[in-house]
Amino acid sequence: MGIELITLFIVLALFTLMAIGVPLGASTLFISVATAYLSFGTNGFILVTSAVTKVMDKQALIAVPFFVFMANIMERSGVAKELFNSMAILGGRMQGGVAVQTCLVAVMLAAMSGIVGGEIVLLGLIALPQMFRLGYDRKLSIGVLCASGSLATLIPPSVVLIVYGAEAGVSVRDLFTAGIGPGLLLASLYIIYVLIRVRMNPAMGPIYDAPEAQLPLIQRLSFLKGLILPFLLIFGVLGSIYGGIATVTESAAIGAVGSLLVAAARKELTIQGIREALWATMLTTGSILWLIIGAVSLVGIYNLLGGTRFLGGILTGLEVAPIVVIIIMMAIIFFLGTFLEWIAIVFITVPIFAPVVIQLGYDPVWFGILFAMNIQIYMLSPPFGPACFYLKSVAPKDVTLQEIFLAVLPFICLQIIGLALVMAFPQIALWLPGL
Amino acid sequence: MKTFVDVMGKISVFLGKACGPFYLAAIALSVYEVFTRYALGAPTSWTSETIMMLVATAWLLCVGAVTQQRRHITVTTMELLIGEAAWNRMKKIAIAISMVGVAGLVIMLWDPMVKVLQAPQTSGSAFDPPSPTYIKTMFVIAAIIYFLQLLANLLTPSKELSKPTEMGVE
């Protein structure tokens, strides 16, 4: 059987198994076992085994449970609420100020933990009720919250960039540095969009009514103290990486210890809280590992059958400009995002795409950033946009999933504009790592 | 049958909870390594591989808990199209297919494990722990736990199974 037919069978089998409710990790595992047996007999098993056991050699992946644990501790502490309140007061009597502050708080939360789920849940619990209470336009509130909460895929220490770096063999530190520019670009686009909308229709973003927000700026500066602990945490994580003191994994551990210290300083650290955070971390990271094992085992056997070479050959053989090949890759990632989890997308596509990107003369760090921006679009896109589901889980009952998906549409357009800008001007991502 | 389901569920949840402190130990060791390297100027030769083995243990052994709690990421859109009764039957088929995949993984990993147990492999680093032997053995143990918990889920009436984590909600 030719590789073309095998590719077709694999895709069809994946669709079928997922449709009947087989978990994604088990689906890829089943297909890889079947493909190995049908292609090489029992000898095929040995070939896949080495790919699977090497998963544990990817040192950078160890940072993932540490960051997830950190996010779980932060979720249980009141630091995010204090940060949001302080920022809202500092914003004063600005039209649409709470939506703008939501965006800025999202950037800071992203810089603390790099986990989208935790961030959107926190913002959904803290910022959304405030905006609804003040009479903000519902779609604007929901959209800005989902979009800015998803910035964690791009702003360091992004878990997406860690996993991409581990699989593509690219420096995670370089990826982190490159993610800053595009992350801030997207945050700026969201803020500009909010400001334009409330300028056109002030009723969409009323002024924050807390008495403290009416104080003169000098007096409001005293609320800066709410930013001290978050800044210390960000400094601990990112400062240790960029100061050359710690590896990404070690900085994640520093962040985890830092989050425990922050919770302790706020007198919110309990044994029960740590137990709950560990349990939540085990369940989240456990499911991630089996997704990786399934994807690695499938790609391992597909690679042995010449599939990676086949797909890479198709991409490099296209008689189009190299940037069009990149656009095609982005379209494939976007398509896969409509039915696959992002971790599986990384482990399935990166082994195929990364060599092609280098062959076309592009920087794999730049491609990693495009990849993360695309994953950010996937976070909001129907039918599975995880960010929308995260928000739905904590939003007031009258907020429907349909309303959330409609609300994020303008922000998806902004994300596509951001992606196009970074594609057209790679220096947006690459100037910082190049310094 | 019910005894097996209950006992397996308890073992899975116990392992999931018991492995939590492994992450705490790994975090503490990572910070200790940074301290010894930069404050004392005396980097250790053993922390990196110890951390890897601690995280690998926790990561692998929690598979039973993840399966018992149905936290493996699954697409459940079909339930809306075909209704609950048909979906409950499909759940059983999905679990059976998962079991075949995991059984295949056990078979794949078995021989490499037997080989390293007969002739233990070490990492070859300065610390030189038997990490390849350990990881390959842990992989087989984890895959067996995964298989047994899937069997327990298969034997559990569909209505009693907890709702799976939908895609993206993780």
Side-chain angles (χ1 to χ4, degrees):
Chain A
M1 193 188 293
I3 189 65
E4 301 87 346
L5 265 182
I6 292 174
T7 307
L8 185 67
F9 277 129
I10 287 176
V11 173
L12 287 177
L14 197 56
F15 264 113
T16 311
L17 292 180
M18 284 170 57
I20 64 170
V22 181
L24 188 49
S27 298
T28 45
L29 200 55
F30 178 86
I31 295 168
S32 61
V33 169
T35 312
Y37 185 71
L38 293 173
S39 305
F40 302 104
T42 49
N43 288 337
F45 292 167
I46 300 162
L47 304 171
V48 178
T49 310
S50 63
V52 170
T53 49
K54 276 181 186 161
V55 167
M56 291 300 167
D57 292 341
K58 296 178 189 295
Q59 281 281 333
L61 289 183
I62 293 173
V64 175
F66 293 179
F67 277 128
V68 173
F69 175 70
M70 180 183 169
N72 278 314
I73 289 288
M74 296 302 294
E75 205 177 310
R76 285 161 178 77
S77 81
V79 71
K81 189 172 184 180
E82 190 177 348
L83 172 66
F84 178 80
N85 288 340
S86 301
M87 294 284 280
I89 290 166
L90 286 166
R93 297 177 54 78
M94 183 184 176
Q95 202 80 43
V98 179
V100 171
Q101 299 306 332
T102 300
C103 232
L104 295 174
V105 169
V107 171
M108 290 182 67
L109 289 177
M112 277 195 272
S113 77
I115 308 289
V116 172
E119 189 172 341
I120 291 183
V121 165
L122 278 175
L123 290 172
L125 290 170
I126 300 164
L128 197 64
Q130 279 282 21
M131 287 194 275
F132 279 8
R133 182 183 65 77
L134 289 167
Y136 270 63
D137 180 80
R138 285 172 68 98
K139 286 200 173 67
L140 186 73
S141 316
I142 293 167
V144 78
L145 202 149
C146 283
S148 53
S150 304
L151 287 169
T153 57
L154 204 53
I155 289 174
S158 153
V159 171
V160 173
L161 292 178
I162 293 172
V163 176
Y164 173 88
E167 186 57 13
V170 175
S171 155
V172 175
R173 185 184 149 148
D174 283 353
L175 286 166
F176 278 2
T177 317
I180 295 172
L184 295 179
L185 168 75
L186 282 178
S188 308
L189 287 176
Y190 301 154
I191 290 172
I192 291 166
Y193 174 76
V194 168
L195 292 176
I196 291 173
R197 293 295 306 272
V198 297
R199 176 89 187 206
M200 289 163 64
N201 180 5
M204 290 181 85
I207 292 165
Y208 189 39
D209 61 356
E212 296 90 338
Q214 326 299 324
L215 296 169
L217 179 63
I218 293 291
Q219 290 181 37
R220 273 186 281 134
L221 287 179
S222 64
F223 287 91
L224 277 173
K225 68 176 188 293
L227 276 60
I228 293 173
L229 287 177
F231 268 118
L232 281 176
L233 204 51
I234 293 169
F235 180 77
V237 175
L238 298 185
S240 60
I241 296 174
Y242 293 121
I245 295 168
T247 62
V248 171
T249 305
E250 288 166 347
S251 76
I254 290 171
V257 171
S259 66
L260 288 170
L261 292 176
V262 165
R266 296 176 53 82
K267 297 187 171 53
E268 291 164 339
L269 188 66
T270 60
I271 296 292
Q272 184 61 20
I274 295 174
R275 275 192 190 141
E276 284 172 11
L278 280 173
W279 178 238
T281 306
M282 295 298 287
L283 294 178
T284 303
T285 55
S287 66
I288 288 175
L289 177 72
W290 291 88
L291 265 184
I292 296 175
I293 289 172
V296 162
S297 119
L298 180 60
V299 169
I301 192 70
Y302 189 62
N303 196 14
L304 283 166
L305 290 165
T308 309
R309 211 169 38 250
F310 163 69
L311 292 179
I314 290 179
L315 288 169
T316 49
L318 292 171
E319 290 181 2
V320 291
I323 193 70
V324 178
V325 178
I326 299 289
I327 293 170
I328 291 170
M329 288 180 190
M330 288 295 119
I332 292 170
I333 294 166
F334 183 77
F335 169 68
L336 291 175
T338 58
F339 63 97
L340 281 182
E341 175 70 23
W342 69 267
I343 294 174
I345 299 174
V346 172
F347 282 90
I348 289 171
T349 61
V350 170
I352 299 165
F353 290 173
V356 176
V357 169
I358 295 167
Q359 205 178 326
L360 292 172
Y362 290 114
D363 191 327
V365 171
W366 169 71
F367 184 76
I369 299 305
L370 294 183
F371 191 98
M373 293 182 87
N374 207 330
I375 293 297
Q376 204 171 140
I377 298 172
Y378 138 89
M379 287 280 173
L380 299 190
S381 303
F384 297 119
C388 303
F389 283 94
Y390 292 134
L391 185 63
K392 174 69 185 124
S393 67
V394 290
K397 282 204 170 97
D398 61 328
V399 176
T400 62
L401 208 49
Q402 287 86 337
E403 186 181 13
I404 297 175
F405 278 127
L406 277 176
V408 297
L409 286 179
F411 292 89
I412 292 177
C413 294
L414 293 173
Q415 289 176 332
I416 293 170
I417 291 170
L419 178 67
L421 284 171
V422 178
M423 212 180 270
F425 306 103
Q427 284 309 309
I428 295 173
L430 297 178
W431 74 278
L432 262 178
L435 288 179
Chain B
M1 195 166 79
K2 192 175 182 312
T3 311
F4 169 73
V5 171
D6 290 345
V7 170
M8 194 60 224
K10 280 180 183 162
I11 291 172
S12 293
V13 172
F14 170 76
L15 281 174
K17 290 190 172 167
C19 286
F22 283 50
Y23 280 150
L24 285 183
I27 288 167
L29 279 182
S30 291
V31 175
Y32 172 76
E33 169 61 21
V34 176
F35 176 75
T36 55
R37 193 167 64 227
Y38 282 92
L40 307 179
T44 66
S45 60
W46 54 273
T47 49
S48 172
E49 283 160 312
T50 308
I51 290 164
M52 191 271 284
M53 286 196 278
L54 283 169
V55 171
T57 306
W59 224 340
L60 287 165
L61 289 188
C62 71
V63 65
V66 175
T67 310
Q68 198 265 352
Q69 300 277 313
R70 304 202 72 207
R71 290 292 297 261
H72 289 291
I73 295 163
T74 309
V75 178
T76 56
T77 320
M78 195 63 88
E79 185 178 4
L80 301 172
L81 302 172
I82 62 168
E84 196 184 340
W87 180 248
N88 281 340
R89 281 194 292 277
M90 274 169 61
K91 268 187 206 168
K92 298 291 181 191
I93 298 170
I95 294 172
I97 291 172
S98 301
M99 286 173 71
V100 175
V102 177
L105 185 69
V106 175
I107 294 166
M108 284 198 288
L109 294 168
W110 188 263
D111 277 348
M113 180 196 73
V114 171
K115 276 183 192 162
V116 292
L117 286 177
Q118 284 167 346
Q121 293 173 357
T122 56
S123 70
S125 65
F127 177 44
D128 204 24
S131 47
T133 307
Y134 181 75
I135 295 292
K136 283 175 184 172
T137 309
M138 289 307 290
F139 252 112
V140 174
I141 293 170
I144 290 171
I145 293 172
Y146 191 178
F147 182 86
L148 291 175
Q149 185 55 55
L150 280 170
L151 180 61
N153 287 3
L154 186 71
L155 298 174
T156 308
S158 290
K159 284 181 183 171
E160 289 176 26
L161 285 173
S162 53
K163 201 172 158 49
T165 302
E166 290 187 38
M167 189 153 107
V169 183
E170 195 63 39

